[in-house]
Amino acid sequence: MHPLLKTRSGQQKLLLGNQAIVRGALEAGVAFVTCYPGTPSSEISDAFFELSAETNLYFEYSTNEKVALEVGAGAAASGLRTLVVMKHVGVNVAADPLMTLAYVGVEGGMVVISADDPSLFSSQNEQDNRYYGKLSSLPILEPSSPAEAREMIKDAFDLSESLRLPVIFRTTTRINHSRGTVTFGRMKKRITQGRFVKDPGLKVTLPAVSRVLHGMLIEKYARAFQMANASPHNFVKGRGRPGIITNGISYAYVMDALSDLGLKSRIAVLRLGFSHPFPKKLVQRFLRGRDKVLVVEELEPYMEEETRAAAQEAGLTLKIAGKSDGLFSRLFEFDPGMVRAGIARYFDLKYKAPRPIKTADLPETPSRPPNLCPGCPHRSTFYTVKKIAGPDTVYPTDIGCYTLGFMPPLRMADFLLCMGSSISTACGISRATGRKTVAFIGDSTFFHGGLTGLVDAVHNKHNVLLIILDNGTTAMTGHQIHPGVDTTPIGRDKKQIRPEDVVRGLGVEDVYVVKPRNLKKMEAAVKAAMAHEGVSVIVSEEICPLYAQRIGQFTKKMVFRVDQARCKNRRDCLNLLACPAFYLDEDKVMINPDLCIGCAVCSQVCPEHAIRPVKLGELS
Ligand code: SF4
Ligand code: SF4
């Protein structure tokens, strides 16, 4: 049995924030979960994927976040407790239905997880999704620790049902990926059979209906505002004339800093966990007892601006400091030292940052630039396309492992905006430059956001080549399934939809399905596709070797070795392909047999035929 199901009420476990969220949702009786995987939220969906095999809760990896939200909205409209999981940029994709779902509301509790990524550990931007609360009028809850995340998500379901509104549960990477002790609670009975009650006058958002619904949303917002002001998730710790207002992980850093700086008994801290609607009355009460207040929050000055507005409305003239005073940055995630230094500066304390631990005697950690794995099929695809289409062709790329094709020596990424943007931007670039443009997209991303761009390309007769890098999984976020995956090896019964069938169905006539490790065949396909005027698609199909190993479809039988007698040291293997298994020993190119997976691509690149296979048993 899955450990998150097994553990009894009252037991304690050390959990990742994401696991704590899963456990909390299970305790809340969640029955329906949809998602599109994305760091830092992926472990939540992966856990539910596993759990769904052992329970009667429904789970799906949806095509994208918009679809996830829409499928979830249907379940919540039918009365089921529903969780929709995505990372912060995913909310942009789901924003369209989210704004209107706020009008229609829900029957069963619905929680939308927005996992924000300050410092862009794995994202294309670091937007602050608290502003989605303002835009949609939806409530936001923000936990400060894994233990609180478990507890708070249960309240989020209750709050959603009480207001009949989806609730945004906003986390940040540091909450999702830190570990903490979590005490388990009782599991609520899961209700998996829903009922949809027809009420077109309130559920079909024609303009006349939506005018009424918008008024109803404003009423619900007013109730949510009262609830935020009285919420136990908004609390004051300590007392003193000066104050700090904080949220999320910053609260943990603030409490540590006050303790380290000896300020704990002198400063009152207001922690906002129910942060939208902004609990203005509570904040005004807090401000009244203070002579000055510092706001500590990552990313945008959301609370700082709201606090200033609340003070102004109440006629309070105390000094409110924060980002606008340069005490903290709007860039990147905070860390405990940074918060300590900011607080010390604000309170005029002499603070010396602790001396860094001496590491001079430790061996230097080898730097590991982001790179495609050894034997990754994307490398051979990029190598061949570059060889045929040349360095002057523009290559818009997309979000996934293959974005790493931008690294030298491949340098096969020229433009990137968001999921699914490669094909549409290629259309624009091709139309503007009059040249065939080559876009790269992964299989999962193709289903997520590439289809509409391809329809545009076909309909408007753009001159683009789309290369679908089909590695049979969603590799970058941890090997999740998507509509193009053959799920039989992992024992799941899902219908596989092949990208080439979809592409033909959308009207593309020039379609090739090629194994990229066969460089000759790949070259022929790229040549033909580049010569075609109009839309061409190559499906470059080869399973991700890491995924293949994971599902037992690959066992390493041989590796490749450089025959030094034949090698003339021209280094095409290093300069053009650069598989990470290569290294230089003095002046000689060598292959690390532990990294090599035996894909045979380098042996086709070597002009001297000096790279030869060796059976594992024959390795000396
Ligand atoms: S995880 Fe798989 S697809 Fe991604 S870079 Fe590594 S081998 Fe390639
Ligand atoms: S065979 Fe060559 S390209 Fe393939 S993993 Fe080994 S060293 Fe890398």
Side-chain angles (χ1 to χ4, degrees):
M1 194 192 261
H2 195 285
L4 290 175
L5 282 174
K6 195 161 56 183
T7 313
R8 287 194 317 274
S9 166
Q11 276 191 322
Q12 290 195 324
K13 253 188 171 294
L14 190 66
L15 290 188
L16 207 60
N18 278 343
Q19 294 170 317
I21 289 170
V22 173
R23 174 68 194 196
L26 288 170
E27 289 177 14
V30 71
F32 203 96
V33 184
T34 61
C35 77
Y36 186 80
T39 311
S41 75
S42 299
E43 294 85 1
I44 302 173
S45 20
D46 291 351
F48 276 114
F49 178 64
E50 289 166 17
L51 284 160
S52 63
E54 298 184 40
T55 64
N56 57 355
L57 73 76
Y58 176 79
F59 170 82
E60 69 169 45
Y61 288 115
S62 304
T63 321
N64 64 25
E65 297 83 358
K66 177 176 178 295
V67 175
L69 190 81
E70 289 161 351
V71 173
S78 309
L80 300 189
R81 284 203 155 187
T82 301
L83 184 68
V84 184
V85 187
M86 61 193 73
K87 67 182 291 178
H88 65 294
V89 286
V91 182
N92 301 337
V93 181
D96 194 8
L98 185 69
M99 295 303 133
T100 309
L101 184 59
Y103 282 31
V104 175
V106 295
E107 296 295 323
M110 181 177 187
V111 178
V112 180
I113 294 188
S114 163
D116 291 13
D117 188 18
S119 278
L120 310 96
F121 290 103
S122 188
S123 308
Q124 61 269 47
N125 73 18
E126 56 177 354
Q127 73 192 36
D128 188 331
N129 276 5
R130 288 177 297 177
Y131 289 97
Y132 269 113
K134 288 186 103 170
L135 191 60
S136 62
S137 298
L138 292 177
I140 297 181
L141 296 187
E142 299 183 74
S144 288
S145 67
E148 195 185 26
R150 180 202 68 88
E151 190 61 45
M152 197 185 262
I153 198 160
K154 296 198 289 181
D155 293 348
F157 279 104
D158 291 342
L159 177 65
S160 167
E161 269 168 24
S162 139
L163 290 166
R164 298 199 158 193
L165 281 179
V167 168
I168 298 172
F169 194 77
R170 179 192 181 247
T171 57
T172 53
T173 309
R174 210 46 57 180
I175 298 292
N176 298 100
H177 286 169
S178 56
R179 285 184 188 274
T181 307
V182 176
T183 308
F184 286 45
R186 223 186 277 283
M187 295 266 193
K188 196 177 157 89
K189 191 172 163 14
R190 186 177 309 121
I191 296 164
T192 56
Q193 185 63 53
R195 198 169 77 90
F196 182 86
V197 180
K198 289 190 186 198
D199 192 354
L202 285 178
K203 289 182 181 162
V204 180
T205 50
L206 299 169
V209 174
S210 291
R211 277 184 209 112
V212 176
L213 290 176
H214 196 188
M216 290 168 68
L217 175 60
I218 302 297
E219 280 168 25
K220 288 179 183 178
Y221 182 85
R223 274 180 56 211
F225 174 69
Q226 298 302 343
M227 290 163 108
N229 281 293
S231 170
H233 296 304
N234 298 331
F235 53 78
V236 178
K237 279 266 156 103
R239 45 175 64 194
R241 290 288 292 163
I244 291 177
I245 299 178
T246 187
N247 71 329
I249 192 68
S250 305
Y251 169 66
Y253 299 157
V254 164
M255 295 314 279
D256 281 352
L258 294 185
S259 165
D260 292 350
L261 296 167
L263 291 172
K264 217 164 181 177
S265 56
R266 291 165 39 201
I267 292 167
V269 177
L270 171 59
R271 199 298 299 261
L272 297 184
F274 190 158
S275 58
H276 188 267
F278 190 73
K280 190 171 61 183
K281 284 189 192 158
L282 173 70
V283 170
Q284 284 168 338
R285 267 204 309 279
F286 180 77
L287 295 179
R288 275 196 191 96
R290 316 269 90 81
D291 54 6
K292 61 178 189 172
V293 161
L294 174 67
V295 183
V296 185
E297 61 189 320
E298 281 175 335
L299 297 181
E300 299 302 320
Y302 164 78
M303 294 192 305
E304 191 176 322
E305 287 167 1
E306 294 285 348
T307 301
R308 284 215 172 86
Q312 199 272 344
E313 191 186 280
L316 300 167
T317 54
L318 78 168
K319 172 88 180 122
I320 294 158
K323 289 176 198 272
S324 50
D325 306 82
L327 286 161
F328 295 103
S329 171
R330 279 175 66 192
L331 297 173
F332 313 138
E333 77 165 351
F334 288 179
D335 62 47
M338 189 190 287
V339 170
R340 211 174 299 134
I343 291 176
R345 219 172 115 202
Y346 180 65
F347 289 106
D348 245 344
L349 293 175
K350 283 212 174 74
Y351 169 72
K352 254 176 76 192
R355 267 205 234 127
I357 300 163
K358 280 190 192 154
T359 54
D361 52 338
L362 294 175
E364 215 171 288
T365 318
S367 68
R368 188 185 174 278
N371 205 350
L372 295 167
C373 304
C376 173
H378 302 332
R379 187 177 296 278
S380 43
T381 309
F382 288 134
Y383 166 82
T384 311
V385 175
K386 189 170 185 180
K387 184 173 169 189
I388 302 302
D392 293 339
T393 297
V394 183
Y395 299 105
T397 192
D398 229 293
I399 308 273
C401 288
Y402 50 93
T403 317
L404 300 173
F406 90 105
M407 294 294 287
L410 296 169
R411 296 198 189 281
M412 290 297 278
D414 292 320
F415 198 69
L416 169 65
L417 295 177
C418 61
M419 294 283 282
S421 66
S422 60
I423 174 76
S424 336
T425 54
C427 292
I429 291 168
S430 159
R431 186 62 66 171
T433 60
R435 292 194 52 171
K436 187 134 186 160
T437 304
V438 180
F440 294 103
I441 198 165
D443 42 348
S444 185
T445 316
F446 172 67
F447 286 105
H448 175 286
L451 297 170
T452 44
L454 188 57
V455 170
D456 183 86
V458 174
H459 180 68
N460 292 304
K461 299 189 170 175
H462 289 296
N463 191 19
V464 291
L465 163 57
L466 176 65
I467 299 188
I468 302 175
L469 300 148
D470 182 359
N471 61 8
T473 185
T474 318
M476 195 188 211
T477 48
H479 299 138
Q480 294 86 2
I481 60 168
H482 64 73
V485 171
D486 174 11
T487 55
T488 37
I490 57 166
R492 299 291 176 116
D493 180 25
K494 303 267 182 187
K495 170 90 177 149
Q496 182 183 14
I497 303 166
R498 294 191 173 276
E500 58 270 29
D501 295 341
V502 176
V503 164
R504 290 197 182 98
L506 292 181
V508 182
E509 288 160 9
D510 197 44
V511 182
Y512 311 81
V513 181
V514 198
K515 297 279 178 198
R517 286 181 185 151
N518 184 330
L519 299 191
K520 279 219 164 73
K521 287 200 172 153
M522 189 71 190
E523 277 184 35
V526 178
K527 265 187 198 149
M530 287 302 287
H532 178 84
E533 182 70 23
V535 181
S536 315
V537 173
I538 295 176
V539 182
S540 175
E541 187 189 60
E542 183 63 64
I543 192 166
C544 160
L546 298 187
Y547 179 58
Q549 279 173 42
R550 191 168 156 185
I551 61 171
Q553 291 210 329
F554 173 78
T555 327
K556 186 155 117 175
K557 294 195 182 79
M558 60 176 180
V559 294
F560 279 69
R561 189 155 59 187
V562 180
D563 179 346
Q564 299 298 339
R566 282 172 173 254
C567 175
K568 294 199 176 130
N569 219 356
R570 281 173 49 174
R571 298 190 183 175
D572 284 14
C573 53
L574 272 183
N575 297 337
L576 303 177
L577 188 69
C579 171
F582 294 131
Y583 67 99
L584 280 176
D585 185 1
E586 307 218 323
D587 202 31
K588 289 179 182 168
V589 179
M590 308 286 278
I591 292 175
N592 179 342
D594 294 331
L595 292 181
C596 174
I597 67 154
C599 74
V601 169
C602 53
S603 68
Q604 300 168 67
V605 171
C606 173
E608 326 299 347
H609 305 289
I611 303 180
R612 303 297 192 105
V614 191
K615 285 200 181 130
L616 279 191
E618 292 167 10
L619 268 183
S620 51

